[in-house]
Amino acid sequence: MFGSSIYLRDRPAFTGGSPQAVYEELWQRGRKGRLRTRAFLSAATLVLCALLVNAVFGIVMAVVVAASDTLVHWRIYSASRVWRLGLRGDQRMNRFLRHTLERRGHRVLHARTVPEHGIADQLVVGPGGVWLVHNEAWSPGAEVSQHGGRLFIDGRTQSKLVAGLTARAEAAGAAISRAAGTPVTVTPVLAVHGGKLARTPFTADGIVFAPPLKLIRWMRRNPAADRSAEEVEAITRAAVHALPVGSNAAARTAA
């Protein structure tokens, strides 16, 4: 169906492989169907617009429809890339931060160890505050939502995830405060790679959830502090001292 997800659960023909491999196989098998749908929509647009206006307008609109359909499906496929590769989205978020907040005076520390609480994917220090960014990739069909102020993934609460992230941010804030000699609050946020989100950003369990670019925009528009460039540098130096570089992915599971 036009614009619909091709992520299917419990389909006997595709059992035995990883969910990512199943999704990739389904996507490839659906290629002919997508091309047929695109051709039908373009042809229908061409005929209708040619009858209502003229042939040139019909051709132009047919091209626009074909291009729009291609873009829609490309975005669906691209959005699932991190999950399909079995990744969490850290590197993708690193690129976004490098080309956005880092160019606006923010400092970003990558893969820092929070003692006894695992790895902080990114620690963003800026004039508006300090954020601990966590990345998660869910399947394209996973429902990511909040109900009653709590996070749900496919109808299930995520108490372990949110508790671990909250504790990690609090521990990071305490460690940086000791090193800086001044109180520093670290706000946990979560970048969602993939999944189906009804609206974003949304807050659940005290944590803001959004796709990477929307999350970055939210961080810019919702400052929790007002610090000078000198203060940003001082807090960054304290964070470098207090939170060593993570040496292995196993530390992530500590939280």
Side-chain angles (χ1 to χ4, degrees):
M1 182 178 296
F2 172 69
S4 64
S5 171
I6 53 81
Y7 177 73
L8 304 175
R9 297 180 174 85
D10 304 323
R11 184 167 173 176
F14 296 103
T15 56
S18 69
Q20 294 93 335
V22 170
Y23 184 90
E24 187 74 23
E25 178 68 16
L26 286 169
W27 183 270
Q28 296 301 329
R29 293 195 177 200
R31 183 172 182 272
K32 290 184 178 179
R34 292 193 299 275
L35 291 176
R36 282 196 298 267
T37 300
R38 189 171 303 147
F40 172 79
L41 291 173
S42 299
T45 301
L46 171 61
V47 172
L48 182 61
C49 292
L51 291 174
L52 293 176
V53 185
N54 56 51
V56 174
F57 181 73
I59 293 172
V60 171
M61 292 307 299
V63 172
V64 169
V65 168
S68 300
D69 184 62
T70 301
L71 178 61
V72 166
H73 286 95
W74 177 83
R75 291 187 64 178
I76 293 172
Y77 187 75
S78 179
S80 72
R81 183 177 183 274
V82 170
W83 173 79
R84 286 186 288 108
L85 295 177
L87 305 177
R88 297 175 57 256
D90 308 33
Q91 295 181 0
R92 184 171 182 242
M93 190 62 172
N94 287 345
R95 291 195 299 271
F96 287 140
L97 289 170
R98 185 167 60 251
H99 295 298
T100 54
L101 294 184
E102 285 193 274
R103 294 185 175 181
R104 295 175 176 269
H106 293 64
R107 299 296 300 276
V108 181
L109 303 180
H110 305 279
R112 312 301 294 200
T113 299
V114 181
E116 300 182 4
H117 290 276
I119 297 290
D121 294 340
Q122 291 97 14
L123 189 75
V124 181
V125 183
V130 182
W131 296 272
L132 187 150
V133 181
H134 182 73
N135 296 273
E136 285 290 344
W138 284 290
S139 68
E143 296 280 353
V144 184
S145 60
Q146 70 89 18
H147 300 284
R150 302 187 65 188
L151 174 67
F152 286 82
I153 307 296
D154 280 339
R156 297 180 180 179
T157 58
Q158 302 293 311
S159 301
K160 182 178 180 180
L161 171 63
V162 298
L165 182 53
T166 300
R168 194 176 309 155
E170 291 176 351
I176 296 171
S177 297
R178 288 193 296 270
T182 187
V184 176
T185 299
V186 176
T187 303
V189 293
L190 194 147
V192 180
H193 303 264
K196 294 168 62 179
L197 296 87
R199 62 180 181 84
T200 56
F202 68 80
T203 301
D205 294 296
I207 299 170
V208 173
F209 295 77
L213 290 176
K214 287 188 176 182
L215 184 62
I216 290 171
R217 189 180 303 120
W218 180 90
M219 292 162 65
R220 286 178 52 199
R221 295 179 178 177
N222 294 271
D226 184 14
R227 295 192 173 95
S228 65
E230 291 75 17
E231 290 174 315
V232 169
E233 289 301 319
I235 292 173
T236 302
R237 288 194 298 269
V240 169
H241 177 75
L243 308 176
V245 176
S247 58
N248 61 74
R252 297 183 191 279
T253 61

